[in-house]
Amino acid sequence: MNASFPTPTNSTPLCYSINSPPFNYTPFIGSAYYSSIFSFLGLTSNLIAFIVLVKSVWQASTGSRSFFLIFLGGLVITDFMGLLVTGCIVVSFHVMHFNWRQLDPNCHFCNFMGMSMVFYGLCPLLLGATMAVERFIGINFPFVGSYSKTKGRIVSMVLMVWLFAGCIALLPLMGVGSYHMQMPGSWCFFNISYEGNDKFFSLIFSLVGLTSIAVSFLLNTVSVVTLIKVCCGPDRTQRHRDHEVEMMVQLILIMVIASICWCPLLVFIAKTVLSRDRVQIRLLLLWIRFATWNQILDPWVYILCRRAVLQRIYPRLNWSRGSIMTLYPSFSDTV
């Protein structure tokens, strides 16, 4: 796999100034199958999760649960659209083997895909951190949370997250960073480099993602400790805490999946920039694919990790005792 590295001239668009198609590589039929199956699986998973979420919103009996479901809905929509936009472009390339330079001589299409990669990459991490903040306030300061939150405000918070991620994605078009064609020619992403404004944007992307994961980990840990104390304390009211336990389990799983899928790429970008190394294409492709699994696994957290589903999977447990925590009395005694 060899790319051509032309000398930048006034006639060479910026997005092709580093890697310029056509590339000298042998198309691998497995790439088309992998991308197609990957996109189909992700889109189907998120569509199923969205249908389940819509039904659950109408059946939600508490305000905190309906607020949490709105956040999950925003996460599912983001993952679905991210797979739809980027998947269509990548699959089309592997099927048609089009020449980007001829199709997009002014880099508009390449910039659009680069923005999509950044936007749909940061949104799940930012939404996860926002959900962690919402649960932290709801569990540790319930009176403040119940007074200040409405469905309209929760929707506004989701929109603010999308707006913030969109502003970051627009930075390369304003001169902070730049979007470039990436090997093997099927996608565009920002230029990971230690030079000039590319360095600043690479660090911004990496630090925003790592900070979101760190905030999620810290606040979720505090929320879990608080919830265990409440559920297992002498004045516990188990039945009213069932939904909060269920929500925290789902939120922790979302955080774990995001950390496993995204940390390698975010650390790789920061390490490459700070150590002033050249980008290793194989590692970049590996960690990009690793990160994309987040969009497939996220919806299954809510599809499978619900009390109604667990009751069907394991009906031998006595689910009528009134609480998730009372199903494990030895755990409560240990705590």
Side-chain angles (χ1 to χ4, degrees):
M1 185 185 297
N2 297 316
S4 56
F5 297 94
T7 302
T9 63
N10 293 333
S11 61
T12 303
L14 180 61
C15 65
Y16 305 124
S17 61
I18 297 178
N19 299 317
S20 182
F23 298 99
N24 299 321
Y25 74 99
T26 301
F28 179 47
I29 190 65
S31 298
Y33 286 130
Y34 175 84
S35 302
S36 302
I37 294 173
F38 190 90
S39 299
F40 176 78
L41 179 62
L43 292 172
T44 304
S45 301
N46 281 282
L47 187 59
I48 294 173
F50 184 75
I51 295 173
V52 173
L53 279 169
V54 171
K55 293 181 179 180
S56 299
V57 169
W58 289 106
Q59 299 171 357
S61 58
T62 62
S64 61
R65 179 165 175 76
S66 64
F67 299 153
F68 186 77
L69 292 176
I70 292 173
F71 277 120
L72 280 178
L75 182 61
V76 168
I77 292 173
T78 303
D79 288 340
F80 180 86
M81 291 303 300
L83 286 169
L84 181 65
V85 172
T86 58
C88 287
I89 298 175
V90 173
V91 172
S92 298
F93 172 82
H94 286 298
V95 173
M96 301 172 62
H97 307 296
F98 55 79
N99 188 322
W100 279 78
R101 193 77 183 262
Q102 297 176 355
L103 179 68
D104 182 33
N106 297 316
C107 292
H108 298 314
F109 196 43
C110 185
N111 287 335
F112 171 74
M113 185 177 187
M115 289 174 57
S116 299
M117 294 284 289
V118 171
F119 176 80
Y120 292 114
L122 287 180
C123 273
L125 302 179
L126 293 170
L127 282 172
T130 307
M131 292 162 69
V133 172
E134 188 275 333
R135 283 290 75 218
F136 174 80
I137 296 175
I139 292 175
N140 292 275
F141 308 99
F143 295 106
V144 175
S146 61
Y147 176 77
S148 60
K149 284 187 301 186
T150 62
K151 287 186 178 181
R153 290 191 178 184
I154 299 300
V155 172
S156 298
M157 292 173 67
V158 175
L159 295 176
M160 288 296 293
V161 168
W162 287 345
L163 178 62
F164 180 70
C167 290
I168 294 178
L170 286 171
L171 287 178
L173 301 186
M174 301 176 184
V176 182
S178 55
Y179 292 120
H180 287 264
M181 171 63 57
Q182 304 290 334
M183 296 287 289
S186 59
W187 61 300
C188 290
F189 199 48
F190 63 86
N191 185 34
I192 303 173
S193 172
Y194 56 84
E195 296 179 350
N197 289 330
D198 289 334
K199 173 181 180 179
F200 293 121
F201 187 78
S202 299
L203 291 177
I204 287 173
F205 181 85
S206 180
L207 291 177
V208 168
L210 290 173
T211 301
S212 299
I213 293 174
V215 169
S216 298
F217 179 81
L218 177 62
L219 296 184
N220 287 336
T221 301
V222 176
S223 297
V224 167
V225 172
T226 303
L227 196 57
I228 290 176
K229 290 180 178 179
V230 172
C231 290
C232 302
D235 299 326
R236 60 185 179 269
T237 53
Q238 306 278 27
R239 184 181 299 272
H240 300 292
R241 291 288 176 173
D242 269 357
H243 288 312
E244 293 189 359
V245 173
E246 183 180 5
M247 288 186 288
M248 281 308 307
V249 169
Q250 293 170 355
L251 186 55
I252 289 172
L253 288 175
I254 290 173
M255 177 193 69
V256 170
I257 291 172
S259 301
I260 294 174
C261 293
W262 274 99
C263 277
L265 176 62
L266 298 173
V267 172
F268 169 78
I269 292 174
K271 179 178 179 296
T272 300
V273 172
L274 295 176
S275 62
R276 304 175 71 87
D277 292 334
R278 291 182 62 88
V279 177
Q280 300 182 45
I281 301 299
R282 292 184 179 276
L283 284 179
L284 177 60
L285 290 172
L286 173 64
W287 299 138
I288 283 286
R289 288 180 175 180
F290 218 65
T292 313
W293 271 101
N294 183 54
Q295 296 171 311
I296 292 180
L297 298 177
D298 267 348
W300 289 104
V301 170
Y302 184 72
I303 293 173
L304 297 178
C305 298
R306 292 180 298 133
R307 195 179 180 191
V309 175
L310 296 176
Q311 185 174 359
R312 293 180 182 179
I313 295 175
Y314 200 10
R316 296 179 60 184
L317 279 178
N318 185 3
W319 295 88
S320 62
R321 297 186 190 182
S323 175
I324 293 175
M325 296 298 292
T326 55
L327 296 176
Y328 307 96
S330 59
F331 176 73
S332 300
D333 295 339
T334 302
V335 174

